[in-house]
Amino acid sequence: MSREAPPEEEAPGGEGGERQSEGGCYLALCARPVHFEKANPVNCVFFDEANKQVFAVRSGGATGVVVKGLEDKNPISFRMEDKGEVKCIKFSLGNKILAVQRTLKNVDFLNFIPDSPQLEYTQECKTKNANILGFCWTSSTEIVFITDQGIEFYQVVLPEKRSLKLLKNQSINVNWYMYCPESSVILLSTTVLGNVLQPFYFKSGTMSKLSKFEIELPAAPKSSKLSLSERDIALAMIYGQLYVLYLRHHSRTSNSTGAEVVLYHLPREGSCKKTHILKLNRTGKFALNVVDNLVVVHHQDTETSVIFDIKLKGEFDGTTTIHQFVLPPRSIQPYQIPVAGPASVTSQSPIPCKLYSSSWIVFQPDIIISASEGYLWNLQVKLEPVVNLLPDKGRLMDFLLQRKECKMVILAVCSQMLSEPGRGSLSVIATVFDKLNHEYKKYLEAEQSYTLVVEAGQSRSNLLLKRPVRTQAVIDQSDMYTHVLSVFTEKKEAPHKFTIAVLMEYIRSLNQFQIAVQHYLYELVIKTLVQHNLFYMLHQFLQYHVLSDSKPLACLLLSLESIYPPAHQLSLDMLKRLSTANDEIVEVLLSKHQVLAALRFIRGIGGHDSISARKFLDAAKQAEDDMLFYTIFRFFEQRNQRLRGNPSFTPGEHCEEHVTFFKQVFGEQALMKPTTF
């Protein structure tokens, strides 16, 4: 692998027993890698970190160049004249201009613009006696040459004119360089020892020099030779911030054994500071990736990897936070290479891929390339195995809430926490609910602030204002209700006291974060109480306003009247507190198919003589309950008899279809006959 200790520093790796690759592999290579022609004497392979593309260059390009990327649907293929060995080859962002370095003095360019001639043009470096170490495209038309004497920032003014303009240059002795395309920052290693790093930031034609900083070497160097290798440095974005990661093979403190990764935070403004130390507790050959804001450290000797999360709590010593790995070391999940060839041949079983191979090369943030096998993979984190490897549910939630694809795993953890055999205590459940609702509240507040600014018409003055992104860490009430709580109550596995305590704990947590509780959660509490005949508890919850007033809740109480008579009055009291209009209450009840409850309510307030018969008959018919329909139909016949002396419906009531339906189901003889006095 690409990063290793100098030979004299190398110590034996961890024991082979540490591999434990049988179960719980939380890292995997992507299922659909980029497959390219293997590196061989005729075919040279290059990787462009900005476009994440692999170039396979055959015979200097004369017999073909094939460019493939993870996102690219169609590979780019072309030929170019063999003008000597290719040292570096990259497309501009958008694949419009190709840059090729063949000598130490200049870079050749080739336009890939439709309907324009593919003529090469060349740019020499401006600094005399300087050698070009490499180049980086920072946009579709801007390119930086890095030489051993500084950097030169160019713009391809008009590609069709085939000319470059020098925008800015800076003289500085350079040992090696590194580029982070996600942040548009180039890092230069300077001074004899190489441990003074000078960053430059590029944006739309401008080049800014950031504060230089010094990497603390493990011990005073024995001689004045280059002591900091680019193999031990990585540049990556973690949680939206740029960090320089330094792989220090020996700790500065003599009592500590094993290597460590030191993180330097590199802000756009201000000085670079050492902020985190990741303890590896082992020595040997290492390689670094960053996946889903996690620092992944691969260890070649034991063929395992570990992950670190700098957002998780560590040990703070006043200036830096020291972190241990989050999970026990595990191998990357075994990977099978499919056998290529005709269908008749591909029936052969796939070949296992050699993981942690010495021919692997890693690139930031999450790329692993095997040039000898011709594969480029994304490294991925699998969250499901993490659940069983991190028993502390609070820490598990802190970890999961920071991950991109976390929602379904978090909901599964919540379900598991409420079920046997891994049922958690109420205090653990409360901690998990609070962590989820803390994230939920943050999102609601951000959404509210955004809405207020937009409504106030300030969005034009604040162009930077963006609508808050709803990440998968936002687990709202409908998610919890649908995937966890309703399923949990239906299973009826747990004692009812525990079930009610869990529901009330979730409501308590919502209230603590001042999140309005949705009525369906209260309904779930009421239904659970009713199922277990805990009417005294229901009465207390309502009396002391543990369950907040709402129209749907009042309707649910009305429907409980037949099994708990006081529910009728409790419901009416609630509706009065809500100052609800009577006809609105009827509408709500009918929409919930509580036709008899609606009728009882309207009779209770004395409005049954003026209500629409058709509305009630429609609702009764929709309920598909013949006896309910009969009861409602008979009620209105009796009303007609009492008010008009005839049970029949008048044409203005538009009930003809209901009369026809009644006759079909119960026969014409069931219709009420007019009563004569």
Side-chain angles (χ1 to χ4, degrees):
M1 294 179 75
S2 71
R3 301 173 194 280
E4 57 184 273
E8 68 271 21
E9 293 187 10
E10 215 169 290
E15 302 81 49
E18 215 172 344
R19 280 193 65 170
Q20 300 174 356
S21 57
E22 300 82 58
C25 298
Y26 46 78
L27 291 168
L29 302 173
C30 66
R32 292 185 178 177
V34 173
H35 185 35
F36 55 90
E37 190 179 342
K38 302 174 184 181
N40 57 48
V42 182
N43 184 57
C44 293
V45 176
F46 300 89
F47 179 67
D48 170 13
E49 67 272 280
N51 289 312
K52 308 284 184 268
Q53 291 170 328
V54 176
F55 286 74
V57 182
R58 287 182 63 85
S59 312
T63 54
V65 178
V66 179
V67 187
K68 290 182 175 181
L70 281 160
E71 302 299 319
D72 303 343
K73 296 285 180 286
N74 302 309
I76 303 167
S77 299
F78 57 91
R79 291 183 183 208
M80 59 187 189
E81 205 179 320
D82 183 0
K83 293 183 179 177
E85 184 197 345
V86 173
K87 294 182 183 299
C88 187
I89 181 167
K90 295 173 186 179
F91 267 116
S92 63
L93 303 186
N95 299 340
K96 292 283 193 292
I97 308 166
L98 179 74
V100 186
Q101 183 194 349
R102 296 185 177 97
T103 73
L104 294 171
K105 300 296 177 189
N106 56 36
V107 175
D108 300 325
F109 293 87
L110 191 62
N111 293 338
F112 274 70
I113 298 160
D115 309 321
S116 81
Q118 281 197 4
L119 291 171
E120 278 198 16
Y121 46 107
T122 301
Q123 178 63 51
E124 278 193 24
C125 73
K126 296 284 186 201
T127 316
K128 277 187 179 176
N129 305 322
N131 291 325
I132 299 173
L133 302 175
F135 61 85
C136 304
W137 285 99
T138 57
S139 78
S140 58
T141 55
E142 288 158 10
I143 190 167
V144 183
F145 290 6
I146 300 96
T147 73
D148 55 3
Q149 293 179 34
I151 54 175
E152 302 174 4
F153 185 30
Y154 292 95
Q155 183 178 33
V156 183
V157 189
L158 290 166
E160 53 274 18
K161 288 272 175 75
R162 304 197 295 283
S163 66
L164 279 82
K165 170 187 168 189
L166 181 67
L167 299 174
K168 203 169 180 182
N169 67 336
Q170 174 89 38
S171 291
I172 183 170
N173 285 333
V174 181
N175 302 305
W176 49 262
Y177 73 96
M178 195 161 278
Y179 179 47
C180 175
E182 289 78 16
S183 61
S184 290
V185 168
I186 291 178
L187 196 62
L188 306 179
S189 157
T190 70
T191 69
V192 178
L193 295 172
N195 66 325
V196 175
L197 301 181
Q198 174 63 66
F200 288 90
Y201 169 61
F202 298 85
K203 189 180 180 184
S204 50
T206 62
M207 177 174 101
S208 316
K209 191 176 181 180
L210 306 182
S211 305
K212 69 177 175 184
F213 61 99
E214 189 175 329
I215 295 280
E216 291 177 358
L217 297 170
K222 297 183 182 80
S223 62
S224 55
K225 63 169 188 169
L226 190 63
S227 300
L228 183 68
S229 159
E230 64 188 292
R231 290 181 310 189
D232 293 334
I233 294 286
L235 196 53
M237 297 293 285
I238 307 172
Y239 291 114
Q241 298 294 314
L242 181 61
Y243 286 90
V244 175
L245 291 80
Y246 165 44
L247 182 57
R248 192 155 63 189
H249 291 280
H250 289 290
S251 170
R252 285 181 70 80
T253 55
S254 55
N255 61 351
S256 173
T257 56
E260 55 194 26
V261 178
V262 185
L263 268 64
Y264 291 83
H265 177 224
L266 185 53
R268 194 73 44 81
E269 289 170 10
S271 58
C272 180
K273 289 190 176 69
K274 182 169 77 169
T275 52
H276 300 273
I277 295 175
L278 317 179
K279 290 287 190 186
L280 301 178
N281 304 327
R282 48 177 62 180
T283 56
K285 297 179 181 179
F286 297 95
L288 304 174
N289 277 127
V290 174
V291 186
D292 202 0
N293 292 311
L294 296 166
V295 178
V296 181
V297 185
H298 309 290
H299 187 230
Q300 193 182 6
D301 300 359
T302 56
E303 297 188 9
T304 58
S305 303
V306 286
I307 56 174
F308 295 87
D309 187 349
I310 62 168
K311 273 269 176 93
L312 290 185
K313 207 172 173 185
E315 189 186 318
F316 188 62
D317 68 0
T319 53
T320 52
T321 308
I322 297 161
H323 300 267
Q324 303 296 335
F325 35 79
V326 181
L327 302 167
R330 288 286 186 272
S331 170
I332 294 169
Q333 186 176 327
Y335 188 85
Q336 305 286 325
I337 294 177
V339 179
S344 58
V345 185
T346 54
S347 57
Q348 295 174 27
S349 53
I351 307 155
C353 171
K354 171 78 178 90
L355 301 175
Y356 301 90
S357 160
S358 55
S359 69
W360 275 17
I361 310 161
V362 299
F363 291 93
Q364 299 313 319
D366 58 356
I367 303 289
I368 293 176
I369 292 179
S370 172
S372 62
E373 289 173 314
Y375 281 97
L376 177 151
W377 296 278
N378 273 123
L379 185 64
Q380 297 171 340
V381 174
K382 295 164 65 195
L383 296 181
E384 288 81 3
V386 174
V387 175
N388 298 322
L389 293 171
L390 206 52
D392 180 338
K393 290 284 189 286
R395 196 166 165 82
L396 174 63
M397 278 299 147
D398 290 339
F399 177 83
L400 291 176
L401 284 166
Q402 302 298 339
R403 311 283 73 84
K404 251 190 206 137
E405 306 289 327
C406 65
K407 179 172 269 186
M408 295 320 291
V409 181
I410 288 174
L411 292 168
V413 169
C414 291
S415 293
Q416 181 191 327
M417 183 175 72
L418 303 179
S419 317
E420 292 291 5
R423 183 175 294 152
S425 67
L426 271 178
S427 63
V428 169
I429 291 164
T431 301
V432 169
F433 287 164
D434 287 349
K435 286 182 186 293
L436 296 182
N437 289 327
H438 175 66
E439 285 296 319
Y440 181 21
K441 179 64 174 178
K442 272 200 306 193
Y443 170 74
L444 291 175
E445 282 178 342
E447 187 70 39
Q448 190 181 15
S449 303
Y450 173 81
T451 307
L452 287 172
V453 171
V454 169
E455 283 174 357
Q458 294 170 3
S459 54
R460 282 185 185 174
S461 60
N462 190 354
L463 294 170
L464 295 172
L465 185 75
K466 286 182 181 170
R467 189 178 194 120
V469 177
R470 181 175 178 143
T471 66
Q472 287 207 10
V474 179
I475 310 280
D476 65 18
Q477 297 174 63
S478 70
D479 294 325
M480 281 299 286
Y481 175 83
T482 309
H483 298 281
V484 181
L485 299 174
S486 62
V487 180
F488 166 61
T489 54
E490 276 166 24
K491 276 186 183 168
K492 301 188 180 72
E493 286 175 356
H496 62 263
K497 283 185 181 173
F498 179 74
T499 304
I500 291 155
V502 166
L503 296 175
M504 295 314 296
E505 200 54 66
Y506 185 62
I507 289 168
R508 186 253 345 132
S509 179
L510 290 168
N511 285 326
Q512 185 177 311
F513 288 96
Q514 298 174 317
I515 300 168
V517 182
Q518 294 296 318
H519 65 84
Y520 46 75
L521 291 171
Y522 290 136
E523 286 179 20
L524 198 55
V525 173
I526 291 174
K527 283 174 181 169
T528 308
L529 292 168
V530 169
Q531 274 169 4
H532 296 97
N533 295 321
L534 299 171
F535 295 111
Y536 69 94
M537 201 182 276
L538 170 61
H539 210 112
Q540 282 183 320
F541 280 178
L542 292 163
Q543 211 167 4
Y544 295 108
H545 304 291
V546 175
L547 307 176
S548 301
D549 295 347
S550 74
K551 287 173 196 170
L553 211 56
C555 296
L556 178 61
L557 288 170
L558 273 175
S559 70
L560 297 174
E561 187 189 358
S562 57
I563 50 171
Y564 183 57
H568 181 76
Q569 193 54 49
L570 287 167
S571 143
L572 292 183
D573 292 346
M574 188 180 283
L575 288 164
K576 281 172 194 161
R577 285 197 297 274
L578 290 164
S579 312
T580 315
N582 294 331
D583 54 348
E584 201 180 331
I585 294 167
V586 171
E587 290 295 339
V588 171
L589 286 168
L590 289 178
S591 71
K592 292 272 185 179
H593 306 299
Q594 300 291 336
V595 189
L596 282 175
L599 202 51
R600 281 196 204 101
F601 171 74
I602 211 81
R603 281 182 74 175
I605 57 166
H608 53 293
D609 285 354
S610 57
I611 55 170
S612 156
R614 183 183 172 179
K615 183 186 286 184
F616 277 79
L617 288 167
D618 281 347
K621 192 175 176 187
Q622 278 172 8
E624 295 181 351
D625 180 343
D626 289 349
M627 286 320 296
L628 173 67
F629 184 81
Y630 182 91
T631 307
I632 301 295
F633 191 91
R634 182 66 84 222
F635 170 82
F636 283 108
E637 279 188 321
Q638 288 168 346
R639 184 188 76 168
N640 294 344
Q641 173 69 40
R642 182 166 49 79
L643 295 178
R644 295 198 299 270
N646 191 317
S648 304
F649 293 92
T650 62
E653 289 180 282
H654 305 292
C655 292
E656 294 80 4
E657 65 170 295
H658 294 302
V659 173
T660 307
F661 179 73
F662 186 89
K663 286 180 191 173
Q664 281 171 357
V665 178
F666 303 104
E668 196 162 343
Q669 71 281 3
L671 287 169
M672 194 173 156
K673 305 292 183 290
T675 312
T676 49
F677 295 101

